Amino acid sequence: MQPDRDRRQTGDNDMPYTAEISRANPTCFLFLIDQSESMREAIGGGEVPMAKADAVADAVNRLLSELTIKCAKEEGVRDYFHVGVIGYGAKVGPAFGGALAGHDLVPLSHVAAQPARLEERTRSTRNGSGVLTQQSVKFPTWFSPVAYGDTPMCAALTKAHDVVGKWLAEHPGSFPPIVLNITDGESTDGDPSGPAEALRELMSADGNSLLFNLHVSSDQSEPIVFPNADRSLPDDYARLLFGMSSILPPTMRTAATQQDLALAEDARGFVFNADISAIPQFLDVGTQVLGLR
Amino acid sequence: MTTATEPDAAAAAATTSARTFPRGASYMEALQDPASAFADPDLAAAAPALTPLGLPRPVSGNFAAVFRMDAADGRAWAVRCFTRWFDDMGRRYEAVDAHLQKQRGTWRVGFEFQSQGVHVDGEWYPIVKMDWTSGQPLLGYIEQHLWDGAALAYLAHRFATLVDELRRAGVAHGDLQHGNILVAPGGDLRLVDYDGMFVPALAGLTGNELGHRNYQHPSRAPGEFGLHIDNFSSWVVYASLVGLSVDPLLWGRVDGGDECLLFRSQDFTDPVHSDALAAFESSGHPVLADLAGRLRSYLAMPLASVPPLAPDRAPMPVLQEGRPVDLARQQSLMAVLRDEAPAAASSPLVEDIRRPRAAARPPVHFSHPTTPRLAAGAVAGAVLLVLVAMASAVVPVVLGLPALLAVTAVGSLAAKTLWRQSPEVAEFQTKQAGHADATRRRDEAKSAVAAVLRQRAEVDKTEHEALSRAGRASEQQQSERDAAIRQVDDQLRVTLTALAAQEQELYRAEHTALAAALRDAQRVVIDEDLRRKPLSMYSGLDDRLLFALALDDVRTAADFVDVFVENEGKASELAYLVRADDKRVKATGLSAAGARQLLSWRRGLEARLSASLPTSLPDDVAGQIRARFSAPRAELARAEGRARADAERQADAVRAMPVADSTALTAAARQAQRQAAERRVKLDQDLGRAKKALAEAEWELDSCERELDAYRGLTFAAFLRGIIGLP
């Protein structure tokens, strides 16, 4: 490649996380999803009790759908992103179902074309005249909720390291990969700090990989959203996850501001005690990258 | 993207947070059932274009997800569902609509802003319903015509003309970029997405978007707004199109088409290191170098100083401004009428007239002890009863029973007569007759009220019919008028598209002629040079052969263009040199290999020249060629002008005609309304009187009832009990 071209793709040399995302220069989102036994318990918030595993699967599936729509253009879905879902519980591995089963990262157009299932869901909505009606809606899903086994977070982060490392070898100039880890409990295979740090050290010409952590909770305590210091955190476990989380790049901080969250400059991509409404917020902020058109 | 860094931008951003809008996925869910999602009857009855999965297929932009909706009758719309919103967007769309109504440009796509357009998760959100336009997106068109320089050059020309047309109309698009430019069949251009459009009525507001990053001047500030906001991006589009028409290889060289044409934001923020600008400058083509130079100089000045792109040829018909404004638009008619309607419901005349109800009276009793007639009756009764007792003891049983019955009957008749003649009962009967009277009067009053109400309903109905007749007729006329104007527009569009196709042909022919002339000019240079290279310069020919060739007029490298070998490899092998006039000249003694070497010597000379060949025609030569095409082109321009003027006249005629009619309609409707109002005033007075009468009758009846209630205890049994002295 010509030097100019490298420079063009990686954005401003002095500023990380400014690479422009395009079809020729995509980035990747990797979701790590805790599938341990305890994910069967109900999540805080919401009107109807819902298992944490279901709430997480719904939110991530919806985000995948949202991403495909955001990148939908006249000629089809543009591959601005490569996306993967890794589950960790009884086993650690790719969680996509259907035609994408077994794949770690797939271009977004493939995601758009091949959901595992098209679920028919019934929604009650008020129609234009204010009458409550039942509407049957098709809802694409790419993976199903699972809750079985331990919480091998170290193994999951190591797997993510492999996937991201391989991807970076092919996309050295990309906006750095983003790994979103969603869990409800402590790691059962050792201290995850080491593997987390190794993962964050992987880098593209535009900066280090980003690791964001979301802790979902069954209890009703107030979520702690994108903190910038560990002083206010309730326990060592929360401080551990905080320490594993990357600082949010400016684009994401701006996105959070638009959702009326006032964040400090060094706010981390970390949410503790997330209830049902904090999950999509975390996912939304954590996947905001430079303006796509 | 809008980021708040300046005061006005901050103000603009502040208005965005007022309301969160649904995401694309929510719209996709809602549109699975158009009938419940859309307020617009066309859209409610239409079906969304689907993805292979069978879900509504969106195309996402900066502000909106756009869905195509198809009606059963073949009509189609693009529906913009907003994912981001600015509070004054509705107002902006209205201003844009009002301004574009006055333009006849073929670039515009018909649209309608609906503030309560789509229903998502229990709430209404605005939409823009746009006519579906059959055009190819710019990137696709370029890729398909990458090797058709004439087509791309024509596109550049068309684009420059379009930009000029916009500017003259006082319009700036705000986000000129590949995604918002469609190429219609015939090469005409259409612009879509009017979210950030500037029209004169919006002067003084701030802009709500920055436009696509790969098309913007680095100095374009958030909120910057005005006629000038397209000035830089139009040069970017134009330079890219011209660049590609000259050198299609640029597309691959700078990764063209990846969210851009040939330039990216980096080329503008750091022009010193721009490989796209460098590629233009090193192309050796003066036009490209000129364009790159322009872009560089524009980058050195603020956006407001960048000159607008203007076509250097093709005189443009001046668009007329200030057409009569449509006063009686269909939507406004009914509203106007409604606003003026008297508020009859609140008239004090029809208020219920209520009175306090009469207080209940204490019950009335028989007054036996004080009444002599009653006392006499009591004595007579007692005597009778004694007689009966005595008779039944003496008279035999056979005779006794009838006698007893007769006596009892006589006694009870007497008692009943006494009861009836009691003053209380008589009083009661009078009251009862009064009650019947009051009931009758009340019923009459009731039907009088009902009659007035019926008349009033009749008046309302008549008025409503008159109004909706006028409304319908006006809507009908309006839609006929709209259809007529649409037809004029469509006709114009067809004509202009045909003219555009002709113009494109002309352009292609001119392009071909210029290319041929350039080839000829290059040929002249080559020939001149080769004529200065005698064959003797080539070491492989002996003098005898040189002499023989000279006799056949082959003396220099210019005098032959090819070699030909007969019976190669045989004893009779003979080489020829082929002259420019195709004549073969024997080269006796020259081997096949020698002949080929001679040819490659000649080609080597030619190749060495290629760097010094002219890349463009001298101005006069080019001018002469262009002049050949200027007359037919001017004719086309005149035809276009005529077509536009015709359409203008036709549209004006259509507009002028129904205005009078709709005024008449309005007058008729007003007349009906006035009559109804008068009738209503009178009826309301009648109704007031009738209700008053009814209320009085009700009151009378009520007090009658209460009085009658007091006599409820005056039964015969009570009378008898009174006679006997029981309580």
Side-chain angles (χ1 to χ4, degrees):
Chain A
M1 265 196 272
Q2 304 152 17
D4 268 0
R5 184 157 155 170
D6 278 345
R7 185 196 52 75
R8 189 183 71 228
Q9 291 196 337
T10 55
D12 190 332
N13 276 333
D14 306 328
M15 276 279 285
Y17 309 113
T18 54
E20 285 183 358
I21 291 160
S22 66
R23 278 170 289 178
N25 196 36
T27 189
C28 83
F29 296 137
L30 185 61
F31 300 91
L32 306 183
I33 296 184
D34 186 342
Q35 297 180 331
S36 65
E37 196 85 31
S38 55
M39 291 292 283
R40 284 183 202 182
E41 293 159 16
I43 189 164
E47 288 154 24
V48 196
M50 194 175 191
K52 285 181 276 190
D54 289 332
V56 167
D58 261 15
V60 176
N61 275 317
R62 198 172 178 83
L63 177 76
L64 292 177
S65 183
E66 206 66 75
L67 287 176
T68 61
I69 292 170
K70 211 163 155 186
C71 301
K73 298 288 167 180
E74 202 61 55
E75 73 284 358
V77 173
R78 290 191 184 161
D79 289 327
Y80 293 123
F81 306 117
H82 292 202
V83 183
V85 181
I86 305 275
Y88 59 102
K91 60 187 174 68
V92 177
F96 280 136
L100 303 178
H103 285 82
D104 290 331
L105 282 176
V106 285
L108 195 62
S109 57
H110 296 209
V111 174
Q114 306 178 85
R117 289 196 294 153
L118 212 52
E119 292 180 12
E120 289 272 346
R121 297 194 175 184
T122 317
R123 288 155 41 104
S124 336
T125 48
R126 285 193 192 284
N127 69 10
S129 3
V131 181
L132 202 61
T133 55
Q134 296 268 317
Q135 197 190 342
S136 164
V137 199
K138 292 191 190 115
F139 183 87
T141 62
W142 285 266
F143 71 99
S144 304
V146 175
Y148 183 62
D150 290 338
T151 309
M153 200 185 294
C154 293
L157 290 166
T158 309
K159 168 75 182 169
H161 187 278
D162 290 350
V163 173
V164 167
K166 210 182 297 166
W167 196 82
L168 277 171
E170 287 160 20
H171 303 90
S174 70
F175 185 97
I178 300 168
V179 180
L180 300 110
N181 178 34
I182 304 175
T183 179
D184 76 331
E186 294 186 31
S187 167
T188 52
D189 63 347
D191 181 356
S193 309
E197 194 179 343
L199 179 59
R200 290 196 315 272
E201 271 168 13
L202 292 174
M203 60 189 298
S204 78
D206 190 42
N208 288 77
S209 302
L210 295 165
L211 173 61
F212 301 141
N213 290 286
L214 173 72
H215 169 258
V216 290
S217 170
S218 300
D219 77 35
Q220 302 289 339
S221 42
E222 195 62 21
I224 299 171
V225 183
F226 305 120
N228 70 325
D230 59 7
R231 287 187 307 275
S232 57
L233 297 175
D235 54 33
D236 285 346
Y237 171 56
R239 279 186 280 277
L240 172 84
L241 287 176
F242 174 83
M244 284 165 53
S245 306
S246 306
I247 290 175
L248 288 172
T251 49
M252 300 186 190
R253 223 171 42 238
T254 310
T257 315
Q258 279 165 3
Q259 299 193 6
D260 291 337
L261 291 171
L263 299 190
E265 284 231 341
D266 53 350
R268 304 263 182 131
F270 173 48
V271 172
F272 192 71
N273 271 337
D275 60 12
I276 196 152
S277 58
I279 303 177
Q281 189 178 49
F282 168 83
L283 294 174
D284 190 51
V285 170
T287 52
Q288 286 295 327
V289 285
L290 274 186
L292 299 172
R293 289 298 296 259
Chain B
M1 299 230 79
T2 303
T3 33
T5 54
E6 288 204 349
D8 19 352
T15 59
T16 61
S17 59
R19 195 173 171 201
T20 37
F21 266 62
R23 300 292 175 87
S26 304
Y27 284 122
M28 195 156 109
E29 279 178 10
L31 265 60
Q32 290 179 25
D33 183 8
S36 68
F38 289 116
D40 183 278
D42 283 342
L43 298 178
L50 301 176
T51 66
L53 294 174
L55 298 169
R57 191 168 72 81
V59 172
S60 290
N62 197 13
F63 281 86
V66 181
F67 294 86
R68 178 186 171 139
M69 298 295 298
D70 288 288
D73 60 7
R75 289 178 301 160
W77 300 274
V79 180
R80 292 181 72 76
C81 298
F82 293 90
T83 50
R84 294 210 290 143
W85 184 252
F86 300 94
D87 282 345
D88 62 353
M89 200 102 103
R91 195 156 65 91
R92 284 174 192 250
Y93 258 106
E94 272 163 27
V96 169
D97 189 16
H99 190 70
L100 296 193
Q101 290 280 347
K102 295 185 266 170
Q103 311 304 328
R104 296 251 74 75
T106 55
W107 59 268
R108 79 190 156 93
V109 174
F111 70 89
E112 186 187 330
F113 177 81
Q114 300 179 354
S115 61
Q116 300 222 315
V118 64
H119 198 254
V120 180
D121 292 333
E123 268 198 74
W124 283 108
Y125 295 94
I127 58 167
V128 177
K129 174 188 173 193
M130 303 185 80
D131 296 339
W132 188 263
T133 180
S134 58
Q136 195 178 4
L138 186 58
L139 290 184
Y141 184 87
I142 289 177
E143 266 159 22
Q144 203 181 323
H145 294 85
L146 199 51
W147 299 96
D148 186 351
L152 294 182
Y154 176 70
L155 200 60
H157 156 72
R158 199 78 208 168
F159 178 74
T161 313
L162 165 63
V163 168
D164 198 57
E165 189 182 330
L166 285 181
R167 199 174 52 81
R168 284 161 191 267
V171 176
H173 182 275
D175 188 18
L176 282 183
Q177 48 119 332
H178 57 264
N180 290 337
I181 303 170
L182 302 178
V183 187
D188 206 3
L189 294 171
R190 310 264 185 272
L191 296 179
V192 294
D193 181 357
Y194 305 157
D195 291 346
M197 187 169 275
F198 171 87
V199 295
L202 296 178
L205 297 186
T206 56
N208 54 11
E209 66 171 323
L210 276 179
H212 194 295
R213 61 176 193 271
N214 289 335
Y215 292 81
Q216 302 314 314
H217 195 283
S219 84
R220 180 168 176 183
E224 187 164 350
F225 205 42
L227 194 52
H228 70 283
I229 51 176
D230 290 340
N231 285 6
F232 186 74
S233 48
S234 45
W235 279 108
V236 172
V237 174
Y238 185 73
S240 299
L241 294 175
V242 171
L244 288 171
S245 76
V246 172
D247 183 2
L249 292 178
L250 285 170
W251 194 243
R253 234 173 108 189
V254 302
D255 252 340
D258 189 24
E259 322 312 329
C260 62
L261 289 175
L262 293 179
F263 299 95
R264 290 176 173 78
S265 56
Q266 292 272 335
D267 295 309
F268 309 141
T269 53
D270 187 11
V272 178
H273 294 108
S274 161
D275 47 354
L277 286 171
F280 268 56
E281 280 151 351
S282 64
S283 70
H285 203 289
V287 175
L288 298 202
D290 174 46
L291 282 169
R294 276 172 190 268
L295 286 176
R296 280 191 198 282
S297 69
Y298 298 160
L299 286 169
M301 51 178 86
L303 173 58
S305 312
V306 174
L309 170 65
D312 49 10
R313 24 160 255 102
M316 294 284 300
V318 180
L319 284 176
Q320 293 164 21
E321 299 255 14
R323 242 172 252 111
V325 184
D326 292 353
L327 284 174
R329 304 261 321 147
Q330 69 182 65
Q331 300 93 333
S332 60
L333 175 63
M334 289 305 281
V336 165
L337 293 175
R338 267 196 300 275
D339 282 348
E340 290 184 1
S346 65
S347 160
L349 281 173
V350 296
E351 267 173 22
D352 278 339
I353 299 162
R354 293 182 194 285
R355 291 235 211 130
R357 284 176 74 85
R361 278 185 53 175
V364 176
H365 300 285
F366 290 109
S367 45
H368 307 280
T370 54
T371 313
R373 231 188 316 172
L374 260 185
V379 172
V383 170
L384 266 172
L385 282 171
V386 170
L387 279 176
V388 166
M390 285 182 353
S392 53
V394 178
V395 182
V397 173
V398 183
L399 291 174
L401 192 58
L404 181 68
L405 284 174
V407 169
T408 309
V410 169
S412 62
L413 265 175
K416 209 139 200 182
T417 305
L418 279 176
W419 172 66
R420 278 210 198 92
Q421 284 173 358
S422 74
E424 289 84 3
V425 169
E427 214 174 285
F428 170 71
Q429 279 166 345
T430 316
K431 298 269 180 201
Q432 219 170 16
H435 178 263
D437 248 18
T439 308
R440 191 179 40 76
R441 274 200 306 278
R442 197 271 319 263
D443 290 347
E444 279 168 12
K446 218 177 200 170
S447 38
V449 168
V452 178
L453 283 175
R454 258 198 313 281
Q455 288 179 45
R456 207 175 178 287
E458 201 56 44
V459 168
D460 285 351
K461 195 171 148 222
T462 314
E463 182 200 38
H464 180 74
E465 275 168 2
L467 288 187
S468 54
R469 212 167 31 244
R472 262 198 316 278
S474 157
E475 266 169 36
Q476 168 80 16
Q477 283 209 332
Q478 186 62 42
S479 75
E480 276 170 11
R481 213 166 62 144
D482 284 353
I485 289 184
R486 235 187 343 265
Q487 205 181 352
V488 171
D489 268 3
D490 288 349
Q491 188 53 47
L492 175 64
R493 200 166 274 209
V494 168
T495 310
L496 291 186
T497 304
L499 288 174
Q502 286 180 41
E503 197 186 6
Q504 185 172 13
E505 269 322 302
L506 210 54
Y507 220 83
R508 189 184 296 279
E510 184 190 55
H511 200 264
T512 313
L514 286 168
L518 180 61
R519 257 196 324 278
D520 289 349
Q522 290 172 340
R523 192 76 251 157
V524 169
V525 175
I526 292 170
D527 284 354
E528 253 172 33
D529 188 85
L530 293 188
R531 253 196 295 286
R532 286 196 297 272
K533 303 286 187 321
L535 290 183
S536 55
M537 275 176 70
Y538 178 66
S539 53
L541 304 179
D542 60 28
D543 287 350
R544 215 175 45 186
L545 184 51
L546 286 173
F547 183 72
L549 288 172
L551 286 180
D552 280 317
D553 288 332
V554 180
R555 297 186 182 82
T556 70
D559 296 335
F560 75 105
V561 293
D562 205 353
V563 296
F564 175 76
V565 181
E566 210 171 62
N567 302 327
E568 185 168 351
K570 295 188 187 138
S572 55
E573 179 183 276
L574 182 55
Y576 295 85
L577 300 190
V578 184
R579 292 198 320 208
D581 62 2
D582 253 2
K583 191 164 179 271
R584 289 176 194 171
V585 174
K586 270 188 211 161
T588 319
L590 190 62
S591 68
R596 275 192 284 273
Q597 253 171 29
L598 177 63
L599 183 64
S600 66
W601 168 74
R602 186 196 178 283
R603 289 199 174 144
L605 292 176
E606 202 175 325
R608 235 171 292 153
L609 279 173
S610 66
S612 55
L613 289 179
T615 56
S616 57
L617 287 170
D619 282 348
D620 57 330
V621 179
Q624 275 168 15
I625 294 171
R626 289 215 168 90
R628 288 216 307 272
F629 291 90
S630 65
R633 186 173 287 138
E635 180 43 47
L636 283 180
R638 275 194 296 278
E640 181 179 333
R642 276 196 303 275
R644 282 177 191 272
D646 280 356
E648 203 56 48
R649 261 194 305 280
Q650 288 168 22
D652 280 346
V654 172
R655 272 199 212 88
M657 192 168 53
V659 165
D661 287 356
S662 77
T663 314
L665 274 171
T666 314
R670 289 233 166 94
Q671 171 71 16
Q673 201 178 28
R674 218 169 11 250
Q675 283 172 354
E678 283 163 12
R679 286 280 292 143
R680 252 199 301 267
V681 167
K682 187 181 170 304
L683 283 171
D684 283 347
Q685 286 165 354
D686 291 352
L687 184 63
R689 276 192 292 275
K691 282 203 169 177
K692 191 161 169 255
L694 175 59
E696 276 162 6
E698 294 264 19
W699 191 79
E700 278 302 320
L701 181 60
D702 193 55
S703 47
C704 283
E705 269 168 6
R706 262 154 224 281
E707 281 183 355
L708 281 182
D709 268 1
Y711 293 86
R712 197 175 283 150
L714 298 185
T715 59
F716 183 52
F719 178 74
L720 280 181
R721 274 200 304 276
I723 292 174
I724 300 165
L726 289 172

